[in-house]
Amino acid sequence: MESQDASDDPGVHRGFICASFNQDTTSLSVGTKTGYRLFSVTAVDKLDCIHEGVECPDVYIVERLFSSSLVVVVSLSMPRRMNVYHFKKGTEICNYSYSNNILSVRLNRQRLVVCLEESIYIHNIRDMKLLKTLLNTPINPSGLCALSISHTNSYLAYPGSATIGEITIYDANNLSTVTLIQAHDSPLAALTFNASGTKLASASEKGTVIRVFSVPEGQRLFEFRRGMKRYVSIGSLSFSADAQFLCASSNTETVHIFKLEQHSPNQEEESPTWSAYVGKMFTAASTYLPAHVSDMMHQDRAFATVRLNMFGLKNICALATIQKLPRLLVASSDGCLYIYNVDPQDGGECVLVQKHRLFESSEEQEEQKEEENPEDVSPQPASQSYAATVALPSTPPSSTTLMGYSEEGGAQKGEVIPDHELAEGPVCLDDLNEFPPVSNQSN
């Protein structure tokens, strides 16, 4: 989710800056004015804050690697520097500075990807060594990109054009371009992979049509129509773990859930219902209509929906199985997490079962006092020396003076992330051996 100033909309919580779910939707990360927070979302009735980081204020990017203790943080005070922390030990693993503002960061068990407006940096997540720099990529002001979490299909997707909805599929393991997908007529607004890295969903800036493609072939598999009355800004797309469902949130009050199922002609013949008969009639008629009208008649509508009690606020959505039942999670810039039940058989309107506040009431009262007495709040001084540490545009990102770390070789002693951390399955946060700190010996 992109950062948004609280002054932009009265409904935005004053402490909220950004939010993101981790790769398997077991954790929610929230960037705040004072730092960042990590929540466990493995239960419906309670929302546990497992960590609150205060290393730097005004965090506008915070990404956690699955359920591990590795978290990546970028602050508005230093938007060109990425900090990698072991939050359980309270130590910094490493940091990197780049030639321009960092717009997004994506993680899987093999790669860490940093996206700037016109370049992308791919690191080996084991030791943070820079593996590849993609320079002169099409202008990407929102930092839109998606990284598959699959160990074998570690694909990266990013805009291949600034004027049309072209997608570049890049193999982050083998460091080579795989294919280009002509997905939409308008520029891209949202991208996401399924868990296995075999499907990619996309939406354009118009936000009316969502398409799903096979990866790496780039063949169109599904096409869903979110609406026809108005253009919207799609805020997030997310597959369910089994890739049977796809949810989409926007700046409207509606979240849509689509079901990825192929319609078999045999099934229609076995159950000759009135709706099936009408569907056949529309299909036959569509062959005589203009192409754009015919496409609309072949697009599937939402399987399930959620009506939020807000409009125009940024939010992110995700599908997860919590306590053995399918749920829709919506983290909103109003400072709340909403949990809905989803009927996987009949769909329809989803039912709100829980609403969690991401900020305590005492914090809200304190923020209100600050708003009433702005003269008592002294502004944070900007770092004057940071510009000297930023690499030139023609050079790769540079690590700052971190002891025991070199740009060419990454961590000099030991792996930043041990093998057990990269294995699939739950990670034990009590394991003191995870993410060993970089050696304190100087170069």
Side-chain angles (χ1 to χ4, degrees):
M1 184 192 300
E2 297 176 5
S3 60
Q4 178 174 344
D5 195 321
S7 62
D8 291 344
D9 193 294
V12 177
H13 192 282
R14 285 182 53 82
F16 182 97
I17 298 180
C18 69
S20 66
F21 291 103
N22 67 339
Q23 294 84 355
D24 55 6
T25 323
T26 58
S27 175
L28 173 66
S29 305
V30 179
T32 70
K33 297 287 187 181
T34 58
Y36 66 93
R37 294 179 178 182
L38 305 177
F39 297 91
S40 173
V41 290
T42 56
V44 172
D45 295 333
K46 62 178 181 177
L47 182 68
D48 293 329
C49 182
I50 58 179
H51 179 72
E52 183 169 1
V54 293
E55 295 88 353
C56 51
D58 298 326
V59 171
Y60 72 98
I61 294 176
V62 53
E63 297 287 341
R64 184 184 180 188
L65 178 64
F66 289 89
S67 297
S68 72
S69 293
L70 185 145
V71 61
V72 178
V73 174
V74 184
S75 169
L76 288 171
S77 61
M78 291 186 176
R80 298 184 178 188
R81 191 173 82 177
M82 174 187 69
N83 298 87
V84 183
Y85 294 109
H86 185 299
F87 72 80
K88 182 174 175 59
K89 295 181 180 179
T91 59
E92 181 183 75
I93 296 173
C94 64
N95 60 60
Y96 253 96
S97 293
Y98 298 85
S99 60
N100 209 333
N101 291 352
I102 301 171
L103 300 180
S104 64
V105 176
R106 298 291 181 262
L107 310 170
N108 64 22
R109 289 185 174 93
Q110 298 160 292
R111 300 289 182 256
L112 185 150
V113 175
V114 178
C115 184
L116 311 186
E117 187 171 12
E118 294 184 76
S119 58
I120 295 175
Y121 298 86
I122 302 175
H123 296 265
N124 179 15
I125 202 168
R126 286 178 178 270
D127 55 14
M128 282 304 298
K129 181 179 180 181
L130 180 63
L131 300 177
K132 184 72 174 181
T133 303
L134 303 177
L135 297 174
N136 301 317
T137 56
I139 296 177
N140 186 8
S142 65
L144 176 63
C145 66
L147 180 66
S148 168
I149 67 173
S150 170
H151 190 77
T152 55
N153 300 322
S154 184
Y155 294 117
L156 170 68
Y158 61 92
S161 169
T163 57
I164 61 173
E166 182 180 83
I167 306 171
T168 299
I169 304 295
Y170 189 87
D171 189 333
N173 279 347
N174 299 316
L175 305 177
S176 60
T177 301
V178 176
T179 188
L180 298 177
I181 301 175
Q182 306 301 323
H184 303 270
D185 293 333
S186 303
L188 297 170
L191 293 168
T192 190
F193 285 100
N194 68 333
S196 63
T198 58
K199 292 183 177 67
L200 174 69
S202 67
S204 72
E205 290 181 349
K206 290 184 177 180
T208 54
V209 175
I210 297 168
R211 296 188 171 107
V212 178
F213 301 89
S214 64
V215 178
E217 300 83 7
Q219 178 183 357
R220 186 191 301 181
L221 301 177
F222 300 93
E223 187 167 273
F224 304 105
R225 176 160 289 275
R226 193 212 57 81
M228 293 187 295
K229 294 182 179 180
R230 54 183 172 178
Y231 293 161
V232 302
S233 176
I234 299 292
S236 67
L237 294 173
S238 179
F239 283 98
S240 59
D242 59 4
Q244 294 298 308
F245 298 94
L246 174 69
C247 63
S249 67
S250 66
N251 59 341
T252 70
E253 71 281 5
T254 307
V255 178
H256 297 79
I257 301 176
F258 304 97
K259 191 171 185 178
L260 281 68
E261 58 180 354
Q262 298 289 355
H263 300 289
S264 172
N266 294 332
Q267 293 177 349
E268 295 181 356
E269 292 176 2
E270 292 174 0
S271 55
T273 62
W274 171 251
S275 60
Y277 173 76
V278 173
K280 289 182 179 180
M281 293 293 292
F282 271 104
T283 300
S286 65
T287 59
Y288 300 97
L289 297 173
H292 69 281
V293 178
S294 176
D295 289 342
M296 290 172 55
M297 296 177 66
H298 283 89
Q299 293 162 350
D300 290 332
R301 301 303 193 270
F303 171 76
T305 57
V306 164
R307 298 285 179 180
L308 305 175
N309 60 351
M310 65 193 80
F311 180 86
L313 297 185
K314 292 187 176 182
N315 58 73
I316 56 171
C317 63
L319 293 164
T321 300
I322 303 178
Q323 295 170 320
K324 299 182 179 180
L325 293 176
R327 321 278 188 175
L328 173 71
L329 309 180
V330 180
S332 171
S333 55
D334 67 354
C336 294
L337 172 67
Y338 301 87
I339 303 179
Y340 296 84
N341 280 345
V342 180
D343 186 336
Q345 300 299 325
D346 300 325
E349 188 74 18
C350 299
V351 178
L352 177 66
V353 293
Q354 194 60 253
K355 173 184 176 181
H356 294 291
R357 293 184 180 273
L358 303 175
F359 299 86
E360 300 295 336
S361 57
S362 58
E363 295 174 296
E364 295 177 351
Q365 294 174 0
E366 185 66 25
E367 288 164 1
Q368 186 176 0
K369 290 180 181 179
E370 292 178 359
E371 184 178 12
E372 294 172 355
N373 303 286
E375 66 277 2
D376 296 335
V377 181
S378 56
Q380 295 290 335
S383 175
Q384 299 298 320
S385 61
Y386 177 68
T389 69
V390 177
L392 295 174
S394 59
T395 64
S398 61
S399 59
T400 55
T401 56
L402 181 65
M403 306 297 285
Y405 184 86
S406 68
E407 180 182 338
E408 293 79 12
Q412 288 187 345
K413 293 192 176 182
E415 293 179 335
V416 172
I417 305 177
D419 289 337
H420 80 270
E421 214 34 273
L422 303 173
E424 294 185 6
V427 175
C428 179
L429 290 179
D430 293 330
D431 183 0
L432 295 180
N433 293 320
E434 64 174 343
F435 306 130
V438 176
S439 170
N440 290 326
Q441 296 179 4
S442 61
N443 294 345

